[in-house]
Amino acid sequence: MAAGGVAGVPDPLPFSADGPNDRQMDLRGRLADDVTVTQLVDRTPAPLSVARVGLGAMVLLAGVHKLLAPGVWATYVTDWLAPWLVVSPVAFMLVNGVLEVGFGAAIVADRATAFAAGVAAVSLSATTAYLGLAAVVEGGFFVDVFVRDVGLSALAWAVLFDALGRTDS
């Protein structure tokens, strides 16, 4: 068995008791000499572009899933919320699915980004507030989704603020 490996499976870059071997030093040397961290960072997309595409993809995919499985999403509508909707929970999710596909695609394509991200930010914030209230009223239901949506709401607001800062008019 190689040092630090599993019986019969050699480590790809095994360590010896004396420290890194020549192969590891060669790899580390090449990374340190040829490509510095700064050069790697310079080759990456802008962080807010990554945030925008990530938010847009999430909204788009959520919309597609709402169109394919609206009943799954309708389970988030509590009995006390359902009467406030003007349509059934499933119909509500189908309408939202269509809208989310459009807004998500706009955010990914960076078209009407401020408007689409604004809709996403307000919608996610309202959903987060609802999920927080539902978690309290329903004895802890939806807490996992609430926690996730807190972060998604902040992401949507960040994308909105960036888009507003880039708007010429």
Side-chain angles (χ1 to χ4, degrees):
M1 176 169 76
V6 177
V9 180
D11 286 339
L13 295 173
F15 282 97
S16 70
D18 299 328
N21 63 31
D22 290 339
R23 184 173 168 210
Q24 291 167 326
M25 289 304 294
D26 181 53
L27 177 62
R28 289 183 188 140
R30 282 187 285 145
L31 286 176
D33 292 340
D34 296 340
V35 180
T36 66
V37 173
T38 303
Q39 288 170 321
L40 287 173
V41 170
D42 288 344
R43 294 179 186 170
T44 62
L48 285 169
S49 293
V50 174
R52 179 185 50 77
V53 171
L55 174 68
M58 184 280 301
V59 172
L60 174 72
L61 292 171
V64 168
H65 192 248
K66 283 177 183 159
L67 294 174
L68 296 175
V72 172
W73 291 84
T75 60
Y76 290 106
V77 177
T78 59
D79 292 338
W80 52 266
L81 177 65
W84 290 75
L85 301 176
V86 294
V87 295
S88 73
V90 169
F92 180 77
M93 294 305 163
L94 287 169
V95 169
N96 272 293
V98 170
L99 295 172
E100 287 178 357
V101 166
F103 289 126
I107 294 168
V108 168
D110 204 11
R111 300 289 181 256
T113 306
F115 180 73
V119 170
V122 170
S123 175
L124 282 163
S125 295
T127 299
T128 301
Y130 161 70
L131 290 170
L133 178 61
V136 171
V137 171
E138 300 292 330
F141 287 150
F142 312 139
V143 171
D144 54 341
V145 182
F146 165 76
V147 170
R148 181 208 58 209
D149 280 5
V150 167
L152 289 174
S153 297
L155 175 64
W157 287 104
V159 171
L160 170 61
F161 296 149
D162 178 60
L164 289 172
R166 292 184 293 124
T167 303
D168 295 328
S169 54

